[in-house]
């Protein structure tokens, strides 16, 4: 497969966007762009890849907490201060490469007591009309992609510390008129049974009819990368 100079720039930008997750996504994105590549991928220049297009829908009216936006590490606004659950969920830029989508999801202990994670996030996807989508959420990135997954392991979070998961899916056409197939709202909980927080990923999740969303297990965010 031939990758043009523009295509290579997009791949490198996507790789740089989630290098901090420590999940080997950069190598997988390189394989998507060049299946014949066998050498370990090197980090590309930091650049902003094109966001996945798609308008935001109406605000949800479910029992889940109000939607939140903003990149991890940014000072929270008054509306984004610590929820009653003591944790705050945020999403990063959606990276794209040859149909593979990847989005880092960060959970931050914004409360006053220590917390413990172990496993995968609890996720539910809703469309522009706030209706649940028929999406199978996988514990692990396969069979979507060969992305490294740390697997379930204890992740202690002291106040102010964060953990990260990476959500992956394959692009599928979305109806521009009805937004059918676009996950506009994503409800995310630290684990099954915990209260979910609703986030609106920039551009949405263009899962379409594929119906599969992979997740990696929570992994501690190193203190050096937790903030810009």
């Amino acid at each position: 497969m031939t990758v043009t100079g523009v295509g290579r720039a997009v791949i490198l930008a996507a790789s740089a966007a989630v290098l901090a997750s420590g999940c080997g996504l950069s190598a997988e994105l390189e394989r998507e762009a060049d299946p014949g590549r066998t050498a370990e991928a090197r980090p590309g220049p930091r650049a902003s890849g094109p966001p996945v297009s798609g308008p935001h829908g109406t605000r949800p009216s479910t029992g889940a907490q109000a939607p939140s936006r903003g990149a991890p590490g940014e000072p929270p606004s008054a509306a984004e201060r610590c929820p009653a659950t003591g944790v705050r969920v945020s999403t990063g830029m959606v990276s794209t490469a040859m149909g593979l989508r990847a989005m880092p999801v960060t959970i931050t202990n914004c409360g006053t007591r220590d917390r413990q994670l172990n496993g995968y996030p609890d996720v539910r996807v809703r469309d522009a009309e706030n209706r649940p989508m028929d999406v199978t959420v996988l514990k692990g990135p396969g069979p979507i992609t060969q992305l490294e997954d740390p697997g379930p392991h204890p992740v202690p979070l002291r106040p102010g510390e964060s953990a990260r998961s990476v959500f992956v899916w394959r692009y599928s056409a979305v109806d521009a008129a009805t937004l059918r197939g676009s996950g506009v709202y994503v409800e995310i909980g630290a684990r099954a049974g915990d209260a979910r927080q609703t986030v609106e990923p920039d551009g949405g999740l263009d899962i379409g009819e594929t119906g599969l969303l992979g997740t990696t297990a929570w992994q501690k965010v190193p203190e050096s990368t937790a903030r810009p």
Side-chain angles (χ1 to χ4, degrees):
M1 180 184 296
T2 301
V3 180
T4 65
V6 174
R8 172 64 65 182
V10 171
I11 300 304
L12 291 176
S15 301
V18 286
L19 277 175
S21 68
C23 296
L25 179 59
S26 59
E28 180 58 23
L29 290 173
E30 285 287 348
R31 284 193 292 270
E32 290 287 326
D34 185 0
R37 181 182 175 89
T38 57
E40 183 178 355
R42 295 185 176 87
R46 289 193 176 275
S48 297
V52 183
S53 60
H56 292 294
T58 55
R59 293 279 178 177
S61 57
T62 65
Q65 297 186 18
S68 62
R69 295 176 181 150
E74 292 181 353
S77 65
E80 295 174 329
R81 287 182 183 147
C82 196
T85 56
V87 296
R88 183 173 58 248
V89 176
S90 59
T91 58
M93 183 183 72
V94 175
S95 300
T96 64
M98 308 299 289
L100 173 65
R101 304 294 198 238
M103 179 181 71
V105 175
T106 302
I107 188 168
T108 300
N109 181 0
C110 56
T112 58
R113 64 182 181 86
D114 293 353
R115 295 181 178 274
Q116 180 98 352
L117 303 180
N118 191 336
Y120 298 84
D122 181 44
V123 184
R124 181 165 57 185
V125 182
R126 293 180 176 272
D127 64 15
E129 301 300 323
N130 199 32
R131 297 170 300 199
M133 292 180 62
D134 185 15
V135 174
T136 300
V137 180
L138 305 171
K139 293 184 177 180
I144 298 170
T145 186
Q146 298 176 7
L147 177 64
E148 181 182 348
D149 179 16
H153 63 284
V155 181
L157 293 181
R158 294 179 298 178
E161 293 184 331
S162 301
R164 184 166 296 154
S165 172
V166 178
F167 289 12
V168 293
W169 66 96
R170 291 283 174 179
Y171 164 77
S172 182
V174 172
D175 189 313
T178 64
L179 289 184
R180 178 178 174 82
S182 177
V184 174
Y185 304 109
V186 185
E187 299 176 10
I188 303 172
R191 57 189 175 186
D194 283 7
R196 299 190 191 101
Q197 292 180 40
T198 301
V199 295
E200 295 180 55
D202 191 14
L205 276 61
D206 49 0
I207 295 176
E209 301 301 321
T210 60
L212 289 178
L213 176 66
T215 64
T216 63
W218 292 117
Q219 187 172 23
K220 189 77 165 283
V221 176
E223 188 174 345
S224 60
T225 61
R227 293 178 176 83

